[in-house]
Amino acid sequence: MATGRTHRPATRSRGIPEATVARLPLYLRALTALSERSVPTVSSEELATAAGVNSAKLRKDFSYLGSYGTRGVGYDVEYLVYQISRELGLTQDWPVAIVGIGNLGAALANYGGFASRGFRVAALIDADPAMAGTPVAGIAVQHTDDLDRIISDNGVSIGVITTPPGAAQQVCDRLVAAGVTSILNFAPTVLSVPEGVDVRKVDLSIELQILAFHEQRKAGEDAPVEGEDPEAPPMRATPASRKGPDGDMPAVMPA
């Protein structure tokens, strides 16, 4: 089996938009579930619903892959699984190194879903000398002093950073210097990388803040206005009944 050093996905050279690339894993997840249930074909509408996108966008995305389906039949599930896996580079082995083996790093190391998607946790690295040699998910943790050798020995091209934010940039610099060209960053900080290095950021606190915003909006919509009878039916204002300092206000104000 080839390693992550020998090949890179052809999505850029083929001109597939980044937005489409971001949706390909969603399609693959939905298709894999169908494949596990031995479903032979799927319509664009059914697959779009399972992936959480609209069917027109799905058909446009698949057109970049050269897959148009068959009218009245739909898409061949197994072929699409192969086609998307190939486009994402998942038909080969991608060795991954996780740097920062705290609670989050250890949880990622123990996650069983990586291997089935083409990713192999090849190395666990930490700056704490006391962690060196400690087995996590069956892999001995190694010290950051040996980072260059570890990356080289394992042919790692994808690094995962789960360190505290203050250490993330230094770790990133060392990974890049060692030959890592793709980084998944869980540290709550923005990393600076040279051209040719891809960074994806995962910030759970930002996602929670976005959810909190929506919860607040929903709570505000449900809360009764002060002085208003919560049992009374809602009143509908007409344009003529709503006056502002400059005269009539439209019933619906622009955002």
Side-chain angles (χ1 to χ4, degrees):
M1 178 177 287
T3 67
R5 294 282 183 161
T6 60
H7 170 75
R8 295 188 66 81
T11 52
R12 287 178 179 172
S13 62
R14 289 178 51 156
I16 299 178
E18 286 294 328
T20 295
V21 175
R23 287 188 290 269
L24 291 181
L26 303 179
Y27 302 140
L28 183 59
R29 181 173 59 188
L31 287 162
T32 300
L34 292 171
S35 176
E36 290 171 351
R37 302 202 318 263
S38 300
V39 176
T41 59
V42 62
S43 70
S44 59
E45 289 78 11
E46 291 169 333
L47 183 54
T49 299
V53 303
N54 67 65
S55 57
K57 185 174 292 183
L58 177 143
R59 287 191 292 270
K60 179 67 173 177
D61 288 343
F62 285 178
S63 72
Y64 291 112
L65 306 180
S67 184
Y68 297 93
T70 303
R71 183 178 295 276
V73 176
Y75 294 94
D76 183 286
V77 170
E78 291 298 333
Y79 179 69
L80 265 185
V81 168
Y82 164 75
Q83 195 173 25
I84 294 176
S85 297
R86 181 190 61 188
E87 204 64 47
L88 290 173
L90 304 183
T91 54
Q92 59 187 314
D93 174 47
W94 291 103
V96 174
I98 301 175
V99 185
I101 313 304
N103 291 333
L104 179 56
L108 291 174
N110 279 285
Y111 175 56
F114 289 139
S116 63
R117 291 167 173 82
F119 302 97
R120 174 174 56 86
V121 178
L124 304 178
I125 306 171
D126 198 272
D128 183 359
M131 287 289 294
T134 302
V136 176
I139 302 172
V141 176
Q142 302 181 71
H143 195 266
T144 50
D145 286 350
D146 299 320
L147 186 146
D148 289 8
R149 176 189 58 76
I150 296 166
I151 298 302
S152 176
D153 288 352
N154 291 280
V156 172
S157 57
I158 300 177
V160 180
I161 297 177
T162 54
T163 66
Q169 184 62 59
Q170 182 181 12
V171 167
C172 175
D173 292 343
R174 290 196 60 191
L175 286 172
V176 171
V180 170
T181 51
S182 293
I183 293 173
L184 181 61
N185 177 34
F186 283 87
T189 187
V190 176
L191 298 177
S192 175
V193 296
E195 187 176 354
V197 176
D198 296 308
V199 176
R200 299 288 295 181
K201 180 173 173 54
V202 180
D203 194 324
L204 301 180
S205 65
I206 288 179
E207 300 302 325
L208 287 170
Q209 289 171 47
I210 293 171
L211 289 175
F213 167 80
H214 290 296
E215 284 300 312
Q216 179 175 259
R217 288 283 296 271
K218 286 183 282 188
E221 291 170 358
D222 295 339
V225 178
E226 185 177 353
E228 180 182 88
D229 181 359
E231 301 299 326
M235 296 181 63
R236 294 185 178 275
T238 62
S241 67
R242 300 178 64 187
K243 297 285 185 178
D246 299 318
D248 291 346
M249 295 171 60
V252 178
M253 293 293 290

